[in-house]
Amino acid sequence: MTVSPELVEKVIRLMKQHTRDFVVPSVTEISEITGKDPFQVLISCLISLRTKDAVTIQASKRLFRVANTPQKLVTLSLRQIERLIYPAGFYKTKARHLTELAKII
């Protein structure tokens, strides 16, 4: 079965029209804010686990204002990272994982 370019354009136009009011996931929003920086997208993705989008966005922004690279993140204490990402769910565990991840990178 061959699909005409006109039909493809129509489907894309309809999809854009019907998805316009969808809520953008927090990690997508962070990706757009940070210029799709892979490190920051990964970190915000980890923060987002078991955490509401609004909390993820605010926690990520607070963290990235202080440490937006692995090199800067490893200089922070666990307590500093915990305070920056709180009230994200499991913030203490996430702070440990973020530190380890930054060291690996």
Side-chain angles (χ1 to χ4, degrees):
M1 177 171 124
T2 305
V3 179
S4 71
E6 292 82 17
L7 179 59
V8 171
E9 287 178 26
K10 182 178 180 179
V11 169
I12 291 172
R13 189 173 51 256
L14 286 170
M15 288 178 67
K16 284 181 179 179
Q17 182 180 22
H18 290 285
T19 59
R20 190 179 355 227
D21 297 329
F22 284 9
V23 176
V24 175
S26 61
V27 176
T28 301
E29 187 173 330
I30 292 296
S31 172
E32 292 169 358
I33 292 169
T34 64
K36 299 184 181 180
D37 178 277
F39 174 72
Q40 293 181 32
V41 171
L42 175 61
I43 296 300
S44 63
C45 183
L46 294 174
I47 293 170
S48 76
L49 299 171
R50 310 278 298 174
T51 301
K52 292 183 179 185
D53 281 351
V55 173
T56 297
I57 292 167
Q58 292 308 311
S60 296
K61 286 179 179 179
R62 279 192 305 274
L63 180 62
F64 297 148
R65 275 195 288 271
V66 176
N68 60 355
T69 67
Q71 296 82 1
K72 291 178 184 175
L73 187 58
V74 296
T75 66
L76 300 179
S77 70
L78 275 178
R79 186 74 183 127
Q80 288 173 303
I81 297 170
E82 289 172 2
R83 278 192 231 121
L84 290 167
I85 66 172
Y86 180 84
F90 304 98
Y91 68 96
K92 289 184 179 193
T93 301
K94 289 177 183 177
R96 280 196 321 271
H97 291 302
L98 296 178
T99 299
E100 289 304 314
L101 178 63
K103 287 177 185 177
I104 291 168
I105 293 174

